[in-house]
Amino acid sequence: LRRWHIRPEAQDVIAILQPAAECLRTKDTPVAFPTETVYGLGADATRSGSVRGIYSAKGRPSDNPLIVHVADLDMLRHLLGPDNHDDDGENCIPARYLSVIEKFWPGPLTILLPIPEPSPLAPEVTAGLRTFGVRMPSSALALTLIKLAGVPLAAPSANASTKPSPTSAQHVKDDLEGRIELILDGGACDVGVESTVVDGLNEPPVVLRPGGISLEELRGCRGWENVVKAYKDQSEEGQTAPRAPGMKYKHYSPRARVVLYESKCMLGQDGLVAADADAAAAAATTTSVNGDGPSTNVGLPKRVGVIRTRRWKPAAGLRCDDLRVTENQDEEVAEPLLRLHTGRLRNREGDDVGELFDLDLGEDAKGIAQGLFSALRALDRRQVDIIFVDGIDDELDIAAAVMNRLRKAASDIRA
Ligand code: TXA
Ligand code: MG
């Protein structure tokens, strides 16, 4: 596995990327590359062989459609083809999209368009749907790569299927070593969660996946004043059924069980409660670490991970009155943006009951989004049995995407 480090300010970026672009054009092995959201696993979207290479590297079900990445609007128009031009010779990108394209491209917004007839896209890209998702990433490296390749790149997130998306080249390597040949390493991703997927062909327009562009930002655009959520979150059971096919698969899952605390969900006496019954059971198990619980309780977590946002109330999650942390020491994680504290867990009697790995993502939603997947992965590497995560208020901005990913990570549907 080759890993090429690329600094965006380097003079010779084009020379470095040229062989990668050549590989994308001519071979069937996908190339991992950074975007501003997460790392993508790219292949020529017009060739079936190359697109199949993505599915096999990821171990991804092939009925889950891929996002097509373009370098500029000309590339998109070319994709839509001459038959899709109206009398003015203009492309026929549906009018509703013009305002959001103008505002958010290049950037973390994926739009759905009807698949053109005839279609230059490999059928494997769209998994039998009548629409395809497309976006223009803002990462200079990604844009340059697509431009040099000269073809649109189909690219899902470059994680192994079901794992949290990769926000660094190391994450890609951890998941796909032995399955791909080349990673372009452009450092940590800026946004940290995936693009917002919208369907503007629907009336009203809908958000299929929350991401880097918020609902409020979309609402500010002409034609998008009435945009509504069409994704299902754990906390909103009974709402509109999920529309993005990706939603039916287990996603964003570290190996450990994730217990998410939602401050919105005021069921517990502490004012915070686990996101669902299963998580509550897991939390109860942990509470019994203090020795009061039935001794028949098996599988007590010995290695506990905590992801804090500053809204965390310590009394609610780990019952800090029962469990004390000692020998606290700081450790830089081999991840940008993260600092890990490690310590022993002791119960009231002072018995050593396990090890604690504690990460703080800060209280700023943007920073939380940037570090979220890294945090889940960092704790997995430490082989924790359980991860307690403090939820955040998801009403605004990128927090909606953060909570969406966390709810999926905390749900118990195994793929
Ligand atoms: O930020 C991103 O979007 C990253 C980077 C690499 O660009 N890509 C990404 O791709 O997250 P992926 O494959 O992990 O997720 C694509 C999402 C899935 O939820 C999929 O179901 C949805 O987009 N999607 C793609 N095409 C669709 C379509 N035609 N209709 C409905 N949903 C679609
Ligand atoms: Mg993905």
Side-chain angles (χ1 to χ4, degrees):
L1 174 65
R2 291 168 298 158
R3 176 164 159 184
W4 297 349
H5 294 264
I6 299 157
R7 284 165 297 115
E9 70 278 12
Q11 302 277 299
D12 51 353
V13 167
I14 292 181
I16 298 170
L17 291 180
Q18 200 64 263
E22 175 70 18
C23 171
L24 285 164
R25 257 199 313 273
T26 59
K27 294 213 220 152
D28 287 347
T29 48
V31 172
F33 65 100
T35 79
E36 74 280 18
T37 56
V38 301
Y39 274 70
L41 187 60
D44 179 349
T46 67
R47 292 189 298 115
S48 288
S50 104
V51 177
R52 279 194 217 115
I54 295 177
Y55 287 107
S56 57
K58 277 196 61 143
R60 175 182 176 116
S62 58
D63 61 336
N64 200 358
L66 305 176
I67 293 173
V68 175
H69 297 68
V70 295
D72 47 46
L73 282 178
D74 277 348
M75 191 180 259
L76 177 56
R77 291 189 182 112
H78 187 254
L79 191 64
L80 293 175
D83 292 350
N84 292 289
H85 286 202
D86 61 26
D87 296 342
D88 304 316
E90 268 303 316
N91 68 85
C92 85
I93 297 171
R96 172 171 273 146
Y97 284 127
L98 299 180
S99 63
V100 291
I101 286 177
E102 165 85 9
K103 185 114 192 255
F104 302 119
W105 277 11
L109 180 74
T110 296
I111 64 173
L112 295 195
L113 291 172
I115 297 176
E117 280 284 347
S119 172
L121 293 173
E124 289 81 0
V125 172
T126 53
L129 298 174
R130 300 173 64 175
T131 58
F132 72 104
V134 60
R135 82 179 189 99
M136 187 192 297
S138 66
S139 149
L141 199 155
L143 287 173
T144 308
L145 180 69
I146 302 164
K147 208 160 181 110
L148 288 173
V151 288
L153 298 184
S157 48
N159 51 298
S161 207
T162 80
K163 290 288 157 201
S165 291
T167 51
S168 74
Q170 185 61 43
H171 296 162
V172 179
K173 186 164 183 282
D174 290 344
D175 280 15
L176 301 181
E177 174 107 69
R179 292 168 160 256
I180 61 172
E181 288 174 16
L182 178 61
I183 303 175
L184 302 175
D185 184 347
C189 298
D190 187 40
V191 178
V193 291
E194 302 87 339
S195 62
T196 301
V197 179
V198 295
D199 183 353
L201 306 171
N202 197 64
E203 188 59 55
V206 291
V207 173
L208 298 179
R209 178 178 73 178
I213 301 296
S214 71
L215 199 66
E216 310 84 72
E217 287 177 292
L218 287 166
R219 285 213 173 107
C221 294
R222 189 160 36 85
W224 292 79
E225 298 83 357
N226 305 325
V227 62
V228 291
K229 294 197 245 176
Y231 57 90
K232 192 168 83 172
D233 267 350
Q234 208 87 43
S235 69
E236 302 169 332
E237 219 71 84
Q239 273 229 330
T240 326
R243 304 249 331 251
M247 300 307 182
K248 66 184 170 174
Y249 301 104
K250 177 79 177 164
H251 263 148
Y252 313 111
S253 316
R255 202 188 47 81
R257 162 171 288 185
V258 175
V259 178
L260 172 65
Y261 288 82
E262 300 204 41
S263 50
K264 283 269 158 196
C265 200
M266 305 284 282
L267 298 177
Q269 24 171 282
D270 291 314
L272 293 177
V273 77
D276 57 28
D278 182 60
T285 305
T286 306
T287 303
S288 72
V289 169
N290 67 19
D292 296 337
S295 54
T296 49
N297 219 335
V298 291
L300 297 181
K302 293 271 187 300
R303 297 168 71 82
V304 173
V306 176
I307 300 176
R308 296 174 196 277
T309 62
R310 298 275 167 73
R311 286 115 162 161
W312 175 271
K313 308 259 190 319
L318 280 180
R319 301 287 297 267
C320 289
D321 49 334
D322 296 330
L323 296 173
R324 291 184 293 120
V325 183
T326 57
E327 300 159 34
N328 229 19
Q329 50 190 221
D330 283 5
E331 181 191 334
E332 289 294 342
V333 186
E335 306 271 359
L337 311 163
L338 295 182
R339 181 175 272 271
L340 180 73
H341 301 266
T342 58
R344 303 301 310 175
L345 280 175
R346 292 183 190 280
N347 66 14
R348 238 197 307 251
E349 287 74 44
D351 307 326
D352 189 318
V353 292
E355 195 162 7
L356 180 75
F357 301 86
D358 188 325
L359 285 162
D360 189 339
L361 294 178
E363 59 188 324
D364 167 49
K366 189 171 185 300
I368 293 168
Q370 275 177 338
L372 179 68
F373 291 146
S374 256
L376 292 171
R377 282 172 176 269
L379 292 175
D380 240 5
R381 262 203 310 284
R382 271 129 189 117
Q383 302 196 297
V384 299
D385 306 303
I386 192 161
I387 302 175
F388 292 93
V389 190
D390 185 21
I392 59 175
D393 195 336
D394 69 353
E395 287 304 297
L396 282 172
D397 57 51
I398 202 160
V402 167
M403 286 305 285
N404 173 263
R405 306 308 188 264
L406 280 175
R407 285 175 186 136
K408 285 177 191 304
S411 75
D412 207 32
I413 319 145
R414 296 282 161 192

